[in-house]
Amino acid sequence: MKKRSMKHIGIIAALGAVLVVGTVFVAFGGAKKIIQIGTDSRVEIDLENGTTTESQFGDAGASAEGSQAGGTGIPEAGSQAEDATVPEDGAAGDPAAETLRIEGVVLEAGEDSILLDRQFPDGYHEETILHIDPERTLILDSVSGFPAEAGKIEKGDSLYVYVGPTMTMSLPPQMTAVLILTDTPQDAAAPSYIHAAGSLEADGQDGWILKGTDGTQIKVPADCQIQPYLTRQIVMLSDITAGRYCLVWTGADGQAEKIVLFNE
């Protein structure tokens, strides 16, 4: 049996730590680096040197890295930064893949991509390129839940975006949008894109609890409005089952006020 070097053992141990912690697993650069992106931190493993670097968004190191982004324009279609991996086919828009919610302001808008000034809760900013897949990316009005036109997204617009679990190592980083929510009123919250972990559960108070696969829990009143996405079929709260996706609007009390249920 071939013996593993201490370097390989260190890499395996580091990989184990990354897989246990955090929310999103990302592979880059032909397996040269593996990066895990969370909502407030990032862990990077160099597979060639066996080193691990962890930084919190807002740290001096993270800010310095963000300031080195080369160029602010959107790359031409098909162009890639050196040593960057394009998201694997099916990673974004695939019901089997989890999504991450990000938000920011549009810096540039093209037909098939958007340069977003991504904003984090701690005030950290990072330019991010969002790719729009015409076959998979949904662009919806944040108030009505109906389709919106990509061509109407302009510089300065605020967007809430759900992206696939993969991103490139290029600067700016690139991600594929699964769902883009536009025209969110300043005095209102954007709806949540939920991947149901199971059927609704009774809350013991004549209502229900909707649980998402990401751990989200939303109280759903028994009389909550629910409608199908772009069909005339009749749907009920009982139609929310494991694996179904839905868009949920909540009120100031955190309870669901309206649900749009996507087709299976």
Side-chain angles (χ1 to χ4, degrees):
M1 178 182 295
K2 186 176 180 180
K3 294 184 178 179
R4 291 193 177 101
S5 66
M6 290 303 294
K7 172 181 171 182
H8 288 164
I9 293 174
I11 292 174
I12 292 172
L15 286 174
V18 170
L19 289 173
V20 171
V21 182
T23 57
V24 181
F25 175 73
V26 186
F28 300 110
K32 292 181 180 179
K33 290 186 178 181
I34 292 180
I35 297 179
Q36 183 215 14
I37 303 293
T39 57
D40 58 0
S41 65
R42 130 186 199 138
V43 177
E44 178 175 327
I45 298 175
D46 189 322
L47 297 183
E48 293 183 344
N49 299 320
T51 59
T52 302
T53 304
E54 181 175 2
S55 60
Q56 300 291 321
F57 291 125
D59 284 355
S63 299
E65 180 182 16
S67 66
Q68 295 174 0
T72 58
I74 301 175
E76 296 180 1
S79 67
Q80 300 174 26
E82 183 180 357
D83 203 27
T85 343
V86 177
E88 295 180 1
D89 184 33
D94 187 335
E98 292 304 319
T99 58
L100 174 69
R101 175 165 160 162
I102 65 174
E103 60 184 273
V105 176
V106 176
L107 297 176
E108 292 184 34
E111 293 183 0
D112 55 7
S113 58
I114 294 171
L115 181 62
L116 189 75
D117 178 19
R118 182 181 176 187
Q119 301 171 357
F120 294 83
D122 64 357
Y124 175 66
H125 289 243
E126 179 181 65
E127 290 185 359
T128 301
I129 294 174
L130 300 174
H131 291 287
I132 299 173
D133 185 334
E135 300 297 325
R136 295 177 177 175
T137 304
L138 287 175
I139 303 176
L140 304 180
D141 182 276
S142 186
V143 176
S144 67
F146 291 122
E149 296 181 19
K152 291 187 176 180
I153 297 176
E154 300 177 342
K155 180 179 179 179
D157 287 352
S158 295
L159 301 179
Y160 290 85
V161 186
Y162 286 83
V163 296
T166 312
M167 93 188 237
T168 70
M169 197 177 67
S170 61
L171 292 176
Q174 303 179 39
M175 311 176 85
T176 299
V178 174
L179 171 65
I180 298 175
L181 295 167
T182 68
D183 298 321
T184 302
Q186 292 185 353
D187 59 347
S192 299
Y193 186 52
I194 304 295
H195 185 200
S199 300
L200 299 185
E201 299 178 8
D203 65 358
Q205 301 176 352
D206 297 326
W208 306 92
I209 298 294
L210 168 61
K211 294 182 178 181
T213 54
D214 62 352
T216 299
Q217 294 191 31
I218 299 176
K219 185 171 182 179
V220 182
D223 60 353
C224 181
Q225 175 188 352
I226 183 170
Q227 63 190 57
Y229 178 69
L230 299 184
T231 71
R232 294 184 177 180
Q233 67 187 100
I234 298 176
V235 293
M236 299 180 291
L237 294 177
S238 58
D239 290 314
I240 301 177
T241 53
R244 296 294 296 269
Y245 280 86
C246 51
L247 205 57
V248 183
W249 285 258
T250 55
D253 57 2
Q255 296 190 52
E257 295 183 337
K258 182 176 75 171
I259 298 175
V260 167
L261 183 63
F262 293 95
N263 299 326
E264 293 184 83

